[in-house]
Amino acid sequence: MANSGQKVVLITGCSSGIGLRIAVTLAKDEKKRYHVIATMRDLKKKNKLVEAAGDVYGKTLMLLPLDVCSDESVKQCINNVKDRHIDILINNAGVGLLGPVESISIEEMKRVFETNFFGVVRMIKEVMPDMKKRRSGHIVVMSSVMGLQGVVFNDVYTASKFAMEGFCESMAVQLMKFNIRLSMIEPGPVHTEFETKMMEDVAKMEYPGVDADTVRYFKDVYLPSSIDIFEAMGQTPEDIAKCTKKVIESSSPRFRNLTNSLYTPIVALKYADETGGLSVNTFYNLLFNFGPLMHITMSILKCLTCSCLRRRTI
Ligand SMILES: NC(=O)C1=CN([C@@H]2O[C@H](COP(=O)(O)OP(=O)(O)OC[C@H]3O[C@@H](n4cnc5c(N)ncnc54)[C@H](OP(=O)(O)O)[C@@H]3O)[C@@H](O)[C@H]2O)C=CC1
Ligand SMILES: CC1=C(/C=C/C(C)=C/C=C/C(C)=C/C=O)C(C)(C)CCC1
């Protein structure tokens, strides 16, 4: 149970990656300011989290089952929280989807929206009324740079994050009137199971109904660039957990929080030209005309940021 003075933080999707690391980082806070309710849809997957939590498990960190795609599971989970009192809700659970749209069924697309968009809406609808009554609370949403800027062959995933950005941008104004803060965290690539799962899915892909040129652009042009970008710009779940902790500890938390400054110029393009031409043309050129150049640039970037070179230059 939370001590008085401790903030109750509920986090979705804590079986791996970013959610797991945020849960452990907050539960290990030196000043013990947080009582963390780490949730996951399948408690059989709890071992990694329990191991990472170590001796704070059962003290500042507890576990509850929660599937963000089920109304019943969400209600049951929140009803199991003492007085339904949640100070900080961190909507982290999410799934990726990659590939030419022709080969993706509408069912698969709906699953992504069910998790990434309706999952967040379901959580906010359940937690917000209590926060409104108390005139306090902070809702954090794990968005993505793809919630701000479309990325080729990530069409449906991007759309699900855009939908959430639009929903939250609208909600933030109303919530402010109730002294409830809303913050989006917008990471670029992060090394987690998200990346592994997507690569496994790609390996199994059969591309039904997709023409040969599109398959070639996806496999031989997009995928190598994407792998380069993950290698050169990829952050760790620890980076995102630190950024999230900073956001919830800020006296005036920002609404948008890009975690990777290397992405700032990419996102800025769309605001620099309201016709959209600048971003569409730039991404086209980056991918189809400067692919090899981008590979070299990413390799240089990787070298500049890798610790071995840093050690050599000191
Ligand atoms: N990795 C990246 O490059 C980036 C990720 N993000 C976002 O970060 C968030 C976390 O992803 P990340 O840690 O990278 O990926 P992981 O795949 O490691 O973690 C995703 C988590 O979401 C959970 N989840 C999926 N569906 C549900 C559901 N219906 N109910 C409850 N939990 C569910 C998974 O549980 P289970 O184990 O049961 O599947 C898992 O715990 C996502 O919202 C993602 O979109 C944003 C930017 C970049
Ligand atoms: C290929 C390519 C790009 C790829 C970006 C990628 C691969 C981003 C991945 C982000 C993730 C994984 C977010 C998760 O939510 C850029 C930089 C837009 C430039 C144009 C070419």
Side-chain angles (χ1 to χ4, degrees):
M1 218 202 308
N3 297 330
S4 63
Q6 260 182 338
K7 286 199 168 159
V8 179
V9 187
L10 187 136
I11 311 165
T12 66
C14 296
S15 67
S16 62
I18 297 171
L20 182 152
R21 196 43 58 190
I22 295 176
V24 171
T25 304
L26 297 182
K28 290 193 172 173
D29 176 57
E30 280 183 3
K31 297 180 194 148
K32 296 191 172 54
R33 285 172 292 183
Y34 305 105
H35 175 74
V36 178
I37 304 171
T39 70
M40 58 183 74
R41 59 177 162 176
D42 181 3
L43 284 185
K44 285 199 236 57
K45 288 191 178 176
K46 70 176 181 188
N47 289 352
K48 221 165 34 165
L49 173 69
V50 171
E51 198 181 307
D55 59 4
V56 300
Y57 177 61
K59 293 178 184 149
T60 50
L61 185 143
M62 63 169 282
L63 264 175
L64 281 179
L66 170 63
D67 179 346
V68 299
C69 293
S70 154
D71 289 347
E72 206 191 320
S73 168
V74 167
K75 204 165 260 316
Q76 208 171 6
C77 177
I78 305 305
N79 283 340
N80 280 330
V81 174
K82 186 174 178 287
D83 300 330
R84 292 174 54 94
H85 183 123
I86 294 160
D87 295 297
I88 303 169
L89 166 68
I90 303 184
N91 294 286
N92 164 75
V95 289
L97 187 62
L98 185 63
V101 278
E102 299 95 312
S103 63
I104 304 173
S105 69
I106 297 288
E107 274 318 302
E108 280 177 275
M109 297 183 191
K110 282 185 176 170
R111 182 186 58 88
V112 173
F113 268 79
E114 193 52 59
T115 313
N116 296 1
F117 178 66
F118 290 109
V120 175
V121 175
R122 205 173 269 118
M123 290 303 299
I124 293 181
K125 266 169 71 76
E126 195 59 36
V127 170
M128 179 181 64
D130 296 283
M131 286 184 169
K132 278 184 169 179
K133 275 186 218 145
R134 293 197 309 271
R135 295 289 195 274
S136 91
H138 193 170
I139 296 171
V140 177
V141 177
M142 198 52 65
S143 178
S144 165
V145 289
M146 290 201 216
L148 302 173
Q149 173 60 57
V151 173
V152 60
F153 291 122
N154 287 270
D155 321 78
V156 177
Y157 174 75
T158 297
S160 73
K161 294 288 186 185
F162 264 60
M164 210 173 59
E165 287 269 345
F167 177 82
C168 292
E169 200 172 276
S170 311
M171 289 294 303
V173 177
Q174 186 214 139
L175 290 177
M176 196 178 264
K177 196 72 189 144
F178 291 89
N179 194 35
I180 302 167
R181 303 291 144 187
L182 207 161
S183 301
M184 316 296 288
I185 313 282
E186 283 119 351
V190 184
H191 302 291
T192 66
E193 287 182 21
F194 183 91
E195 180 190 4
T196 333
K197 284 175 210 161
M198 283 218 289
M199 288 310 166
E200 280 168 9
D201 288 348
V202 166
K204 281 184 257 159
M205 257 181 205
E206 281 174 8
Y207 313 101
V210 188
D211 65 278
D213 282 344
T214 305
V215 173
R216 190 161 51 80
Y217 296 144
F218 176 59
K219 285 172 69 171
D220 303 339
V221 182
Y222 170 77
L223 279 182
S225 294
S226 163
I227 291 166
D228 277 350
I229 284 163
F230 255 96
E231 278 190 16
M233 295 170 103
Q235 290 183 291
T236 63
E238 286 77 11
D239 294 330
I240 313 304
K242 269 189 215 150
C243 172
T244 307
K245 190 164 187 276
K246 214 163 133 192
V247 170
I248 64 174
E249 287 172 359
S250 162
S251 53
S252 51
R254 284 163 42 164
F255 175 65
R256 288 219 161 83
N257 299 274
L258 275 173
T259 65
N260 191 336
S261 56
L262 292 171
Y263 260 94
T264 310
I266 290 173
V267 173
L269 286 179
K270 81 191 281 176
Y271 299 107
D273 169 23
E274 79 279 6
T275 71
L278 187 58
S279 35
V280 173
N281 292 328
T282 305
F283 291 128
Y284 177 87
N285 283 326
L286 276 175
L287 193 65
F288 292 113
N289 294 336
F290 305 134
L293 190 68
M294 205 162 77
H295 178 75
I296 297 166
T297 312
M298 289 299 152
S299 304
I300 295 170
L301 198 62
K302 200 178 150 204
C303 263
L304 287 173
T305 50
C306 96
S307 52
C308 77
L309 191 71
R310 228 180 287 142
R311 235 178 281 130
R312 253 184 267 142
T313 52
I314 287 170

